[in-house]
């Protein structure tokens, strides 16, 4: 019998090491990601770390050396779990969720979407034993704040990555124009009705002139990014025409302030 794996040789696996595997059910069922998973484009498999813990009590955490509040996750169950999960998967990346990691960005999602297997380690309590860091390929944070556990961070990264796997979004174009994909924020979007609360859809979008529409959208992207996230412009790919538009916007803004 032909297995799903034969039909989808590039099926991506998201394996999660967590003390709370049940958290991963509903966020991915239904919705566009749930349907893509049903079609075999990727698999999300939460694993209970306790299954790799030793002894009658299956202990996964312990008090910190040197004293202090809270508990620290032990290295042995994580090491044993990684050995099992990596078996037979020469191409896998292990990601530790930590507020001390690299801030996760769209470019990371794009790179991860090309992997075969991603293993997520979700910390809890005070975090993980420092020696776990030597077992991972990347350490990711989803922002400068502290969560109670790495599960939500893993879900955020899985969501952002899975939608970039070819075939997951019905209309492939829709992820290519998203914010950040070309280093800029996306242009404003409108749908029916043409007028809402006295606010009209810009005429250019109703014109049917595709070149004009593309020009307008690019200007809007540059304007938005300059006003909301000027930091992004430093690394965005800008054409000479973009630079001219940006200069005009900057001049306009300076004029408004004077
Ligand atoms: N004491 C640790 C924080 C522990 S929070 C410190 O100060 O660095 C418990 C767990 O939640 C972490 O081990 C990590 O897996 C997860 N976590 C918390 N905030 C996070 C964030 N911003 N990004 C990714 N994971 C986070």
């Amino acid at each position: 019998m032909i297995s799903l794996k034969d039909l989808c040789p590039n099926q991506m696996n998201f394996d999660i090491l967590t003390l709370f595997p049940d958290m991963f059910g509903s966020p991915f069922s239904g919705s566009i990601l749930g349907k893509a998973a049903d079609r075999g484009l990727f698999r999300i498999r939460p694993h209970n770390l306790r299954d790799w813990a030793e002894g009658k009590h299956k202990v996964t955490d312990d008090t910190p050396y040197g004293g202090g509040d809270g508990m620290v996750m032990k290295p042995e169950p994580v090491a044993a779990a990684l050995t099992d999960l990596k078996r037979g998967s020469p191409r896998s990346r292990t990601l530790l969720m930590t507020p001390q990691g690299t801030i996760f960005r769209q470019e990371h999602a794009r790179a991860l979407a090309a992997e075969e297997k991603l293993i997520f380690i979700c910390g809890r309590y005070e975090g993980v034993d420092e020696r776990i860091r030597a077992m991972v390929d990347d350490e990711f944070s989803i922002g400068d704040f502290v969560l109670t556990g790495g599960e939500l961070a893993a879900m955020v990264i899985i969501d952002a990555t899975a939608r970039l796997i070819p075939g997951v979004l019905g209309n492939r174009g829709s992820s290519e124009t998203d914010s950040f994909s070309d280093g800029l924020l996306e242009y404003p979007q409108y749908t029916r009705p043409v007028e809402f609360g006295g606010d009209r859809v810009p005429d250019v979008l109703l014109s049917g002139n595709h070149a004009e529409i593309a020009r307008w959208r690019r200007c809007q992207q540059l304007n938005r990014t300059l006003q909301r996230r000027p930091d992004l412009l430093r690394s965005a790919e800008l054409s000479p025409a973009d630079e001219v538009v940006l200069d005009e916007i900057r001049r306009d803004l300076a004029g408004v302030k004077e």
Side-chain angles (χ1 to χ4, degrees):
M1 206 177 98
I2 299 175
S3 76
L4 247 173
K5 190 84 188 149
D6 298 324
L7 291 170
C8 295
N10 297 324
Q11 184 190 47
M12 157 86 112
N13 284 297
F14 296 97
D15 286 85
I16 304 120
L17 283 174
T18 168
L19 294 173
F20 298 91
D22 292 347
M23 283 179 74
F24 288 82
S26 54
F28 298 107
S29 62
S31 87
I32 206 154
L33 290 186
K35 287 187 195 125
D38 290 345
R39 281 188 286 137
L41 293 174
F42 61 85
R43 246 188 334 185
I44 299 176
R45 290 185 300 190
H47 306 274
N48 196 333
L49 199 50
R50 283 171 80 85
D51 294 344
W52 284 276
E54 300 269 312
K56 197 168 78 185
H57 298 293
K58 302 270 178 200
V59 175
T60 54
D61 54 280
D62 207 338
T63 52
Y65 276 120
D69 289 336
M71 301 296 271
V72 174
M73 285 174 64
K74 290 162 66 60
E76 313 94 302
V78 175
L82 288 179
T83 303
D84 279 353
L85 293 181
K86 286 181 181 177
R87 197 170 288 128
S89 306
R91 275 196 58 202
S92 67
R93 275 194 96 70
T94 303
L95 318 178
L96 175 64
M97 303 296 101
T98 163
Q100 302 183 23
T102 308
I103 302 274
F104 187 76
R105 296 166 61 92
Q106 188 69 9
E107 71 212 46
H108 300 123
R110 218 173 295 131
L112 293 182
E115 296 287 342
E116 275 173 20
K117 179 172 196 160
L118 296 177
I119 304 173
F120 293 78
I121 303 175
C122 303
R124 278 271 154 183
Y125 320 117
E126 289 307 306
V128 301
D129 184 289
E130 185 68 9
R131 291 163 291 186
I132 288 175
R133 294 183 57 207
M135 306 174 200
V136 309
D137 299 298
D138 299 294
E139 298 182 30
F140 280 124
S141 163
I142 61 161
D144 288 342
F145 42 80
V146 178
L147 302 164
T148 50
E151 287 76 11
L152 288 171
M155 286 182 217
V156 165
I157 293 178
I158 292 170
D159 188 301
T161 302
R163 68 193 287 285
L164 298 180
I165 295 172
V168 167
L169 296 185
N171 170 9
R172 286 202 65 202
S174 48
S175 75
E176 282 155 23
T177 62
D178 280 335
S179 296
F180 311 113
S181 16
D182 57 2
L184 300 175
L185 301 182
E186 199 185 48
Y187 47 79
Q189 299 269 23
Y190 293 88
T191 183
R192 273 185 273 268
V194 163
E195 190 168 324
F196 174 74
D199 203 355
R200 256 184 79 79
V201 173
D203 285 336
V204 60
L205 297 180
L206 311 172
S207 69
N209 183 335
H210 296 297
E212 277 295 314
I213 292 172
R215 225 180 344 263
W216 180 86
R217 285 182 164 164
R218 188 70 185 173
C219 288
Q220 292 290 323
Q221 278 194 279
L222 293 164
N223 188 23
R224 293 218 138 171
T225 310
L226 179 65
Q227 300 216 37
R228 298 179 184 208
R229 292 292 305 277
D231 57 301
L232 294 178
L233 290 175
R234 279 197 295 275
S235 49
E237 279 176 35
L238 300 176
S239 68
D242 290 336
E243 298 286 4
V244 171
V245 172
L246 275 172
D247 280 344
E248 268 171 32
I249 300 170
R250 285 194 189 99
R251 263 200 306 277
D252 278 358
L253 289 173
V256 169
K257 274 189 203 132
E258 276 162 16

